[in-house]
Amino acid sequence: MVQGVNLNNVKEINSGSLLSSNASIQLIFAQLQMELSAVNKEAAMEKINSIRDSQTDSKTYTDAINALRTMSDYDVEKYGELPTDLETIQQEIKTATAALEDLEQYADGDKPYYDEKNKTWATKQESTDYWYKNEYIKAGEASAFDALRVGGEEDHNLSEIEAGIEAVSTRLEALKAYETLLTSTSVSGTSILSDSKISLSGNPTADDIKNWISNLESSQEELGTDIQQQMVFVQDYIGQYNSYMQGASSAISTANETLKSLARGQ
């Protein structure tokens, strides 16, 4: 049902004070119309702000859905299990980012020399700590990081460095996706995962992720329906605002004509 503002909705109308004065009926009516227009304008602004918040929440849902899709492509056997708490994830993101920068520097900076001299090189401590000491990437197990374990931190060729870049990049993308999910909150401050009845596990199955995406999409669809309804209310409030302003303008014009007639003695 379209919401509107009428005398029963208005908390306070000041034009009644004019009744005790010598103001004309037209001026009293104009004052009432202006106050009602202001009420409708305020109501429209409240709805507009609500729509903005809902649109922000809708983007948060989209980001979370995309993060889940990223995680659905993650190969746990190849790239290692993911930590489950936010603090550990954020710390590993910092470490993995530093490791990736190290590896990319080697690949970009030393490739011409490598091609010419068949050069090998040692990696930095930041890189080594990441793939060799990370508790979620077990040494000795088959994984995408095996190429970087061959020489420890002592000696690597270009193909090993390039394999490391691909492995770290893939794991870093999954870590960032997990961080997005754990930090996805609505404008009101609630977790959108909790709102959608989702409880994350460290290594969710494909079916888990499929169900979670479905839950988030359902919540986002409900939000979209609410946004459309709020927009209908805004249109109604603006329509009534314009109508009351026109009424006020008409009443003032009538009052002015009356005063002119009185001044001319007519």
Side-chain angles (χ1 to χ4, degrees), residues 2-48:
V2 176
Q3 293 184 349
V5 175
N6 54 43
L7 287 174
N8 294 326
N9 300 125
V10 180
K11 297 179 180 179
E12 181 180 354
I13 295 294
N14 296 321
S15 56
S17 62
L18 293 174
L19 292 173
S20 60
S21 69
N22 294 323
S24 71
I25 294 298
Q26 288 90 349
L27 289 179
I28 294 173
F29 180 74
Q31 178 70 18
L32 175 62
Q33 295 288 293
M34 292 179 67
E35 289 170 2
L36 287 172
S37 69
V39 171
N40 277 274
K41 180 180 179 180
E42 182 180 355
M45 289 306 302
E46 288 178 357
K47 292 296 183 184
I48 290 172

Short mmCIF file of all heavy atoms in Angstrom, two decimals, residues 2-48:
data_model
loop_
_atom_site.label_atom_id
_atom_site.label_comp_id
_atom_site.label_asym_id
_atom_site.label_seq_id
_atom_site.Cartn_x
_atom_site.Cartn_y
_atom_site.Cartn_z
N VAL A 2 0.62 2.19 -0.87
CA VAL A 2 1.43 3.40 -0.95
C VAL A 2 1.20 4.26 0.27
O VAL A 2 0.07 4.52 0.66
CB VAL A 2 1.09 4.19 -2.23
CG1 VAL A 2 1.86 5.48 -2.27
CG2 VAL A 2 1.39 3.34 -3.46
N GLN A 3 2.31 4.68 0.87
CA GLN A 3 2.20 5.50 2.08
C GLN A 3 2.09 6.96 1.70
O GLN A 3 2.75 7.44 0.79
CB GLN A 3 3.44 5.29 2.95
CG GLN A 3 3.53 3.89 3.54
CD GLN A 3 4.71 3.79 4.48
OE1 GLN A 3 5.55 4.67 4.53
NE2 GLN A 3 4.76 2.71 5.23
N GLY A 4 1.27 7.70 2.41
CA GLY A 4 1.15 9.13 2.20
C GLY A 4 1.10 9.85 3.52
O GLY A 4 1.03 9.24 4.58
N VAL A 5 1.13 11.14 3.48
CA VAL A 5 1.07 11.94 4.69
C VAL A 5 -0.21 12.75 4.67
O VAL A 5 -0.51 13.44 3.71
CB VAL A 5 2.28 12.89 4.79
CG1 VAL A 5 2.14 13.80 6.00
CG2 VAL A 5 3.57 12.09 4.89
N ASN A 6 -0.99 12.63 5.74
CA ASN A 6 -2.18 13.46 5.88
C ASN A 6 -2.19 14.06 7.28
O ASN A 6 -1.24 13.90 8.04
CB ASN A 6 -3.45 12.64 5.60
CG ASN A 6 -3.50 11.40 6.47
OD1 ASN A 6 -3.19 11.46 7.65
ND2 ASN A 6 -3.88 10.26 5.87
N LEU A 7 -3.27 14.72 7.62
CA LEU A 7 -3.31 15.38 8.92
C LEU A 7 -3.14 14.40 10.07
O LEU A 7 -2.61 14.75 11.13
CB LEU A 7 -4.64 16.14 9.06
CG LEU A 7 -4.76 17.41 8.22
CD1 LEU A 7 -6.16 17.98 8.35
CD2 LEU A 7 -3.72 18.43 8.64
N ASN A 8 -3.57 13.18 9.91
CA ASN A 8 -3.43 12.19 10.99
C ASN A 8 -1.99 11.73 11.18
O ASN A 8 -1.63 11.19 12.22
CB ASN A 8 -4.32 10.97 10.70
CG ASN A 8 -5.79 11.33 10.74
OD1 ASN A 8 -6.19 12.16 11.53
ND2 ASN A 8 -6.59 10.69 9.88
N ASN A 9 -1.15 11.89 10.12
CA ASN A 9 0.23 11.48 10.21
C ASN A 9 1.13 12.55 10.81
O ASN A 9 2.23 12.28 11.25
CB ASN A 9 0.78 11.13 8.81
CG ASN A 9 -0.01 10.02 8.17
OD1 ASN A 9 -0.50 10.17 7.07
ND2 ASN A 9 -0.12 8.89 8.85
N VAL A 10 0.69 13.79 10.75
CA VAL A 10 1.55 14.90 11.15
C VAL A 10 1.61 15.03 12.66
O VAL A 10 0.59 15.09 13.33
CB VAL A 10 1.05 16.22 10.51
CG1 VAL A 10 1.94 17.37 10.92
CG2 VAL A 10 0.98 16.09 9.01
N LYS A 11 2.85 15.05 13.19
CA LYS A 11 3.02 15.13 14.64
C LYS A 11 2.71 16.53 15.17
O LYS A 11 2.19 16.71 16.26
CB LYS A 11 4.46 14.74 15.01
CG LYS A 11 4.81 13.30 14.64
CD LYS A 11 6.25 12.99 15.01
CE LYS A 11 6.63 11.57 14.66
NZ LYS A 11 8.02 11.26 14.98
N GLU A 12 3.09 17.53 14.37
CA GLU A 12 2.91 18.91 14.87
C GLU A 12 2.65 19.84 13.71
O GLU A 12 3.42 19.89 12.76
CB GLU A 12 4.18 19.36 15.62
CG GLU A 12 4.05 20.76 16.19
CD GLU A 12 5.29 21.18 16.93
OE1 GLU A 12 6.19 20.35 17.07
OE2 GLU A 12 5.36 22.35 17.34
N ILE A 13 1.57 20.54 13.76
CA ILE A 13 1.24 21.54 12.75
C ILE A 13 1.15 22.90 13.44
O ILE A 13 0.39 23.07 14.39
CB ILE A 13 -0.09 21.23 12.05
CG1 ILE A 13 0.05 19.93 11.25
CG2 ILE A 13 -0.52 22.37 11.15
CD1 ILE A 13 1.01 20.02 10.08
N ASN A 14 1.95 23.85 12.97
CA ASN A 14 2.02 25.15 13.64
C ASN A 14 1.01 26.16 13.12
O ASN A 14 0.83 27.22 13.70
CB ASN A 14 3.43 25.73 13.48
CG ASN A 14 4.46 24.87 14.18
OD1 ASN A 14 4.20 24.36 15.25
ND2 ASN A 14 5.64 24.72 13.56
N SER A 15 0.39 25.85 11.99
CA SER A 15 -0.51 26.84 11.39
C SER A 15 -1.72 27.13 12.26
O SER A 15 -2.37 28.16 12.09
CB SER A 15 -0.96 26.36 10.01
OG SER A 15 -1.57 25.09 10.12
N GLY A 16 -2.04 26.26 13.20
CA GLY A 16 -3.17 26.50 14.09
C GLY A 16 -3.01 27.77 14.88
O GLY A 16 -4.00 28.40 15.28
N SER A 17 -1.75 28.17 15.11
CA SER A 17 -1.52 29.39 15.87
C SER A 17 -2.00 30.62 15.12
O SER A 17 -2.23 31.67 15.71
CB SER A 17 -0.01 29.54 16.18
OG SER A 17 0.72 29.64 14.97
N LEU A 18 -2.13 30.48 13.81
CA LEU A 18 -2.59 31.63 13.02
C LEU A 18 -4.08 31.91 13.23
O LEU A 18 -4.57 32.99 12.92
CB LEU A 18 -2.33 31.38 11.53
CG LEU A 18 -0.86 31.33 11.11
CD1 LEU A 18 -0.77 30.95 9.64
CD2 LEU A 18 -0.18 32.67 11.35
N LEU A 19 -4.81 30.90 13.74
CA LEU A 19 -6.25 31.06 13.91
C LEU A 19 -6.59 32.17 14.90
O LEU A 19 -7.65 32.78 14.84
CB LEU A 19 -6.88 29.74 14.37
CG LEU A 19 -6.86 28.62 13.33
CD1 LEU A 19 -7.36 27.33 13.96
CD2 LEU A 19 -7.73 28.99 12.12
N SER A 20 -5.66 32.38 15.86
CA SER A 20 -5.92 33.41 16.87
C SER A 20 -5.54 34.80 16.38
O SER A 20 -5.75 35.78 17.06
CB SER A 20 -5.14 33.09 18.15
OG SER A 20 -3.75 33.05 17.88
N SER A 21 -4.93 34.85 15.18
CA SER A 21 -4.51 36.14 14.63
C SER A 21 -5.56 36.62 13.63
O SER A 21 -6.60 36.01 13.44
CB SER A 21 -3.15 36.00 13.94
OG SER A 21 -3.29 35.22 12.76
N ASN A 22 -5.22 37.68 12.96
CA ASN A 22 -6.13 38.22 11.97
C ASN A 22 -5.78 37.76 10.55
O ASN A 22 -6.16 38.39 9.58
CB ASN A 22 -6.10 39.76 12.02
CG ASN A 22 -6.66 40.27 13.35
OD1 ASN A 22 -7.61 39.69 13.87
ND2 ASN A 22 -6.07 41.36 13.85
N ALA A 23 -4.98 36.68 10.48
CA ALA A 23 -4.56 36.19 9.18
C ALA A 23 -5.76 35.71 8.38
O ALA A 23 -6.73 35.22 8.93
CB ALA A 23 -3.56 35.05 9.35
N SER A 24 -5.64 35.83 7.07
CA SER A 24 -6.72 35.38 6.20
C SER A 24 -6.75 33.86 6.14
O SER A 24 -5.77 33.19 6.44
CB SER A 24 -6.52 35.96 4.80
OG SER A 24 -5.41 35.33 4.17
N ILE A 25 -7.91 33.34 5.74
CA ILE A 25 -8.05 31.89 5.58
C ILE A 25 -7.04 31.37 4.56
O ILE A 25 -6.47 30.30 4.72
CB ILE A 25 -9.48 31.55 5.13
CG1 ILE A 25 -10.48 31.89 6.24
CG2 ILE A 25 -9.59 30.07 4.77
CD1 ILE A 25 -10.26 31.13 7.52
N GLN A 26 -6.79 32.17 3.50
CA GLN A 26 -5.84 31.73 2.48
C GLN A 26 -4.43 31.55 3.04
O GLN A 26 -3.74 30.60 2.72
CB GLN A 26 -5.81 32.75 1.32
CG GLN A 26 -7.06 32.74 0.45
CD GLN A 26 -8.09 33.71 0.96
OE1 GLN A 26 -7.96 34.22 2.08
NE2 GLN A 26 -9.13 33.96 0.16
N LEU A 27 -4.02 32.49 3.91
CA LEU A 27 -2.68 32.40 4.50
C LEU A 27 -2.59 31.22 5.47
O LEU A 27 -1.56 30.54 5.55
CB LEU A 27 -2.32 33.70 5.20
CG LEU A 27 -2.03 34.90 4.29
CD1 LEU A 27 -1.70 36.13 5.11
CD2 LEU A 27 -0.87 34.56 3.34
N ILE A 28 -3.64 30.98 6.22
CA ILE A 28 -3.66 29.83 7.12
C ILE A 28 -3.54 28.54 6.32
O ILE A 28 -2.77 27.63 6.65
CB ILE A 28 -4.95 29.82 7.96
CG1 ILE A 28 -4.98 31.03 8.91
CG2 ILE A 28 -5.05 28.52 8.77
CD1 ILE A 28 -6.28 31.19 9.65
N PHE A 29 -4.30 28.47 5.23
CA PHE A 29 -4.26 27.29 4.37
C PHE A 29 -2.87 27.13 3.75
O PHE A 29 -2.33 26.01 3.65
CB PHE A 29 -5.32 27.40 3.28
CG PHE A 29 -5.36 26.23 2.36
CD1 PHE A 29 -5.89 25.02 2.78
CD2 PHE A 29 -4.85 26.32 1.06
CE1 PHE A 29 -5.92 23.92 1.92
CE2 PHE A 29 -4.88 25.23 0.20
CZ PHE A 29 -5.42 24.02 0.64
N ALA A 30 -2.25 28.21 3.31
CA ALA A 30 -0.92 28.16 2.71
C ALA A 30 0.11 27.65 3.71
O ALA A 30 0.97 26.82 3.38
CB ALA A 30 -0.52 29.54 2.20
N GLN A 31 0.02 28.15 4.97
CA GLN A 31 0.94 27.70 6.01
C GLN A 31 0.79 26.19 6.26
O GLN A 31 1.78 25.46 6.38
CB GLN A 31 0.68 28.47 7.30
CG GLN A 31 1.54 28.06 8.50
CD GLN A 31 3.00 28.46 8.32
OE1 GLN A 31 3.32 29.30 7.49
NE2 GLN A 31 3.88 27.82 9.09
N LEU A 32 -0.45 25.74 6.31
CA LEU A 32 -0.70 24.31 6.51
C LEU A 32 -0.11 23.48 5.37
O LEU A 32 0.52 22.46 5.59
CB LEU A 32 -2.20 24.07 6.62
CG LEU A 32 -2.65 22.60 6.71
CD1 LEU A 32 -2.09 21.95 7.97
CD2 LEU A 32 -4.17 22.51 6.69
N GLN A 33 -0.32 23.96 4.14
CA GLN A 33 0.19 23.24 2.97
C GLN A 33 1.72 23.17 3.00
O GLN A 33 2.32 22.13 2.68
CB GLN A 33 -0.27 23.94 1.69
CG GLN A 33 -1.78 23.92 1.47
CD GLN A 33 -2.28 22.53 1.09
OE1 GLN A 33 -1.97 22.02 0.03
NE2 GLN A 33 -3.04 21.92 1.97
N MET A 34 2.38 24.23 3.38
CA MET A 34 3.84 24.25 3.43
C MET A 34 4.38 23.30 4.50
O MET A 34 5.39 22.62 4.30
CB MET A 34 4.34 25.68 3.67
CG MET A 34 4.07 26.62 2.49
SD MET A 34 4.64 28.32 2.78
CE MET A 34 6.41 28.06 2.80
N GLU A 35 3.68 23.25 5.63
CA GLU A 35 4.12 22.35 6.70
C GLU A 35 3.93 20.89 6.29
O GLU A 35 4.78 20.03 6.57
CB GLU A 35 3.38 22.67 7.99
CG GLU A 35 3.81 24.00 8.60
CD GLU A 35 2.92 24.46 9.75
OE1 GLU A 35 1.98 23.72 10.09
OE2 GLU A 35 3.17 25.57 10.26
N LEU A 36 2.83 20.60 5.62
CA LEU A 36 2.60 19.24 5.15
C LEU A 36 3.62 18.86 4.07
O LEU A 36 4.08 17.72 4.01
CB LEU A 36 1.18 19.11 4.60
CG LEU A 36 0.06 19.09 5.65
CD1 LEU A 36 -1.30 19.17 4.97
CD2 LEU A 36 0.16 17.83 6.51
N SER A 37 4.00 19.82 3.23
CA SER A 37 5.00 19.53 2.20
C SER A 37 6.35 19.23 2.86
O SER A 37 7.08 18.34 2.41
CB SER A 37 5.13 20.71 1.23
OG SER A 37 5.73 21.84 1.86
N ALA A 38 6.68 19.96 3.94
CA ALA A 38 7.94 19.72 4.65
C ALA A 38 7.96 18.34 5.27
O ALA A 38 8.99 17.64 5.27
CB ALA A 38 8.15 20.80 5.71
N VAL A 39 6.82 17.90 5.82
CA VAL A 39 6.72 16.56 6.41
C VAL A 39 6.97 15.50 5.34
O VAL A 39 7.69 14.52 5.56
CB VAL A 39 5.34 16.36 7.08
CG1 VAL A 39 5.16 14.90 7.48
CG2 VAL A 39 5.21 17.26 8.30
N ASN A 40 6.37 15.67 4.18
CA ASN A 40 6.55 14.71 3.09
C ASN A 40 7.99 14.70 2.58
O ASN A 40 8.53 13.66 2.23
CB ASN A 40 5.58 15.01 1.95
CG ASN A 40 4.20 14.42 2.18
OD1 ASN A 40 3.95 13.27 1.86
ND2 ASN A 40 3.31 15.20 2.78
N LYS A 41 8.61 15.88 2.51
CA LYS A 41 9.99 15.96 2.08
C LYS A 41 10.90 15.20 3.05
O LYS A 41 11.80 14.44 2.63
CB LYS A 41 10.43 17.42 1.99
CG LYS A 41 11.87 17.60 1.54
CD LYS A 41 12.25 19.07 1.46
CE LYS A 41 13.70 19.23 1.03
NZ LYS A 41 14.09 20.67 0.95
N GLU A 42 10.68 15.38 4.34
CA GLU A 42 11.48 14.68 5.35
C GLU A 42 11.29 13.17 5.25
O GLU A 42 12.25 12.39 5.33
CB GLU A 42 11.09 15.16 6.75
CG GLU A 42 11.91 14.51 7.86
CD GLU A 42 11.52 15.01 9.23
OE1 GLU A 42 10.68 15.93 9.31
OE2 GLU A 42 12.04 14.47 10.23
N ALA A 43 10.04 12.76 5.04
CA ALA A 43 9.75 11.32 4.91
C ALA A 43 10.44 10.75 3.68
O ALA A 43 10.97 9.63 3.70
CB ALA A 43 8.25 11.09 4.84
N ALA A 44 10.45 11.51 2.59
CA ALA A 44 11.10 11.06 1.35
C ALA A 44 12.61 10.90 1.57
O ALA A 44 13.22 9.92 1.12
CB ALA A 44 10.83 12.04 0.22
N MET A 45 13.22 11.85 2.29
CA MET A 45 14.66 11.78 2.55
C MET A 45 15.00 10.57 3.41
O MET A 45 16.04 9.92 3.21
CB MET A 45 15.13 13.07 3.21
CG MET A 45 15.16 14.28 2.29
SD MET A 45 16.11 14.00 0.77
CE MET A 45 17.73 13.58 1.45
N GLU A 46 14.16 10.25 4.39
CA GLU A 46 14.39 9.07 5.22
C GLU A 46 14.38 7.81 4.38
O GLU A 46 15.21 6.91 4.56
CB GLU A 46 13.33 9.00 6.32
CG GLU A 46 13.48 10.06 7.41
CD GLU A 46 12.38 9.99 8.44
OE1 GLU A 46 11.47 9.15 8.28
OE2 GLU A 46 12.43 10.77 9.42
N LYS A 47 13.43 7.72 3.45
CA LYS A 47 13.36 6.56 2.57
C LYS A 47 14.57 6.50 1.65
O LYS A 47 15.11 5.42 1.39
CB LYS A 47 12.07 6.60 1.75
CG LYS A 47 10.79 6.41 2.56
CD LYS A 47 10.73 5.03 3.18
CE LYS A 47 9.43 4.82 3.94
NZ LYS A 47 9.39 3.51 4.63
N ILE A 48 14.99 7.64 1.13
CA ILE A 48 16.16 7.68 0.24
C ILE A 48 17.41 7.20 0.97
O ILE A 48 18.21 6.43 0.43
CB ILE A 48 16.37 9.11 -0.31
CG1 ILE A 48 15.25 9.43 -1.31
CG2 ILE A 48 17.73 9.25 -0.98
CD1 ILE A 48 15.23 10.87 -1.77
#
